[in-house]
Amino acid sequence: MKKLLLFCAFVLGALPGWGGLSPKPEMDFSFQYQTSQPISVLPATSEQIQCQDNQCMKQEPLGVYGIQKLYCRAQGCFSIAYEYAPYQKLIVDFSDGVKRESNVFATPEKLRNSFVVSVREKDLWVEPSAQPQHFNALLRADAWVSLVLILLLETLAAFAYLLYSGKKYRIIYGVILANLITMPVSWQFLAKVVPEPSLIWIFSFVFEALFVKMFSRKMLSWKASFMLSLAINVTSYSVGMILSFLIAPYLF
């Protein structure tokens, strides 16, 4: 079993870091209207374009893929992606019949990013926002769904591991408490500063191993606590990747 877990960890490390139930890269676009008449966004015909260069010579729509999509409302738009291209462009359709296209802008290196979009008469101008995001990520539907799924998957994985190893089942309480700490820290704080979801997975793996060891004291060795953390995090990553993809269309 140990060799299998180590093999799974190696495979996960080689995969793109967007899988699982951790926060995904996202962009929030706040609109500032500079038009002579009030207008509103037409979400169905608006799109975000992925560009491979700063001239957008090679481009393709962000598209709809699981949770990946451009979501628009009257005041602006936001997008979530499993992985963004190096450059972006917005093409937003408005109620006045004008489909406005933005300048090409670089994709930031953080997971969570804010932009100000100046809506002009004929086009859009996008630039990074100087104001940090103040919204509470823990109030979002995807955050709560993530917490529920992680608790369910990692509790079941911990139970299976403890059953296999013959350890005391009350160690599961340590697993639950550790997840109740790592989830809000990841969604509310780490997502604002780290560039890759895989770094959040590594943080969760290490923190949960240390926390479970402190919680269990002599019931688990250091090696066993890290193997338990590896087992539960591999489970939540792999199974969570499938579940999150299936339920993604119902989150927003």
Side-chain angles (χ1 to χ4, degrees), residues 54-169:
N54 60 6
Q55 300 298 315
C56 217
M57 299 297 292
K58 184 178 180 181
Q59 59 178 265
E60 61 181 2
L62 178 64
V64 180
Y65 183 73
I67 201 172
Q68 178 170 299
K69 185 181 178 181
L70 177 68
Y71 302 84
C72 287
R73 53 197 185 278
Q75 297 79 17
C77 301
F78 80 98
S79 67
I80 301 178
Y82 294 107
E83 188 174 14
Y84 285 114
Y87 296 90
Q88 308 291 319
K89 182 170 64 173
L90 288 179
I91 302 177
V92 182
D93 201 5
F94 290 90
S95 56
D96 62 352
V98 179
K99 182 173 284 191
R100 292 166 172 83
E101 186 173 318
S102 79
N103 56 306
V104 178
F105 53 97
T107 302
E109 296 183 354
K110 296 183 298 180
L111 288 181
R112 195 168 289 157
N113 307 279
S114 297
F115 296 86
V116 175
V117 181
S118 298
V119 182
R120 306 187 293 201
E121 293 294 343
K122 298 297 182 181
D123 62 6
L124 308 172
W125 184 261
V126 180
E127 56 186 356
S129 174
Q131 299 296 324
Q133 293 177 324
H134 295 293
F135 70 87
N136 190 345
L138 300 180
L139 299 179
R140 289 168 38 160
D142 53 338
W144 280 99
V145 171
S146 174
L147 174 61
V148 171
L149 290 178
I150 286 175
L151 287 175
L152 177 62
L153 292 172
E154 296 201 2
T155 299
L156 292 174
F159 178 81
Y161 179 87
L162 296 172
L163 179 64
Y164 170 82
S165 60
K167 304 296 183 182
K168 295 182 178 180
Y169 294 128

Side-chain angles (χ1 to χ4, degrees), residues 2-252:
K2 293 179 180 179
K3 291 182 178 180
L4 176 61
L5 290 174
L6 291 173
F7 174 76
C8 291
F10 173 79
V11 172
L12 293 179
L15 289 173
W18 44 258
L21 299 167
S22 62
K24 307 293 186 292
E26 59 185 68
M27 299 182 183
D28 185 76
F29 302 99
S30 298
F31 286 10
Q32 294 183 350
Y33 289 93
Q34 300 175 1
T35 55
S36 57
Q37 299 293 329
I39 56 176
S40 59
V41 177
L42 302 179
T45 48
S46 300
E47 57 185 346
Q48 183 171 343
I49 303 299
Q50 302 268 65
C51 307
Q52 297 299 325
D53 58 88
N54 60 6
Q55 300 298 315
C56 217
M57 299 297 292
K58 184 178 180 181
Q59 59 178 265
E60 61 181 2
L62 178 64
V64 180
Y65 183 73
I67 201 172
Q68 178 170 299
K69 185 181 178 181
L70 177 68
Y71 302 84
C72 287
R73 53 197 185 278
Q75 297 79 17
C77 301
F78 80 98
S79 67
I80 301 178
Y82 294 107
E83 188 174 14
Y84 285 114
Y87 296 90
Q88 308 291 319
K89 182 170 64 173
L90 288 179
I91 302 177
V92 182
D93 201 5
F94 290 90
S95 56
D96 62 352
V98 179
K99 182 173 284 191
R100 292 166 172 83
E101 186 173 318
S102 79
N103 56 306
V104 178
F105 53 97
T107 302
E109 296 183 354
K110 296 183 298 180
L111 288 181
R112 195 168 289 157
N113 307 279
S114 297
F115 296 86
V116 175
V117 181
S118 298
V119 182
R120 306 187 293 201
E121 293 294 343
K122 298 297 182 181
D123 62 6
L124 308 172
W125 184 261
V126 180
E127 56 186 356
S129 174
Q131 299 296 324
Q133 293 177 324
H134 295 293
F135 70 87
N136 190 345
L138 300 180
L139 299 179
R140 289 168 38 160
D142 53 338
W144 280 99
V145 171
S146 174
L147 174 61
V148 171
L149 290 178
I150 286 175
L151 287 175
L152 177 62
L153 292 172
E154 296 201 2
T155 299
L156 292 174
F159 178 81
Y161 179 87
L162 296 172
L163 179 64
Y164 170 82
S165 60
K167 304 296 183 182
K168 295 182 178 180
Y169 294 128
R170 66 172 181 237
I171 295 173
I172 290 178
Y173 295 121
V175 172
I176 295 173
L177 289 173
N179 276 284
L180 291 175
I181 296 173
T182 56
M183 184 273 179
V185 169
S186 298
W187 280 82
Q188 187 65 17
F189 301 107
L190 292 183
K192 297 180 181 179
V193 295
V194 301
E196 294 289 342
S198 56
L199 296 177
I200 295 179
W201 187 89
I202 294 172
F203 161 77
S204 298
F205 161 61
V206 174
F207 179 87
E208 289 168 17
L210 297 175
F211 187 92
V212 169
K213 171 57 182 173
M214 294 174 61
F215 179 87
S216 62
R217 297 185 180 181
K218 295 182 179 181
M219 290 185 287
L220 280 180
S221 65
W222 281 105
K223 181 178 180 180
S225 65
F226 272 89
M227 290 302 299
L228 172 58
S229 181
L230 181 61
I232 63 178
N233 278 284
V234 165
T235 301
S236 64
Y237 184 104
S238 54
V239 180
M241 188 188 321
I242 300 171
L243 293 177
S244 64
F245 188 86
L246 293 176
I247 66 176
Y250 308 102
L251 292 177
F252 295 100

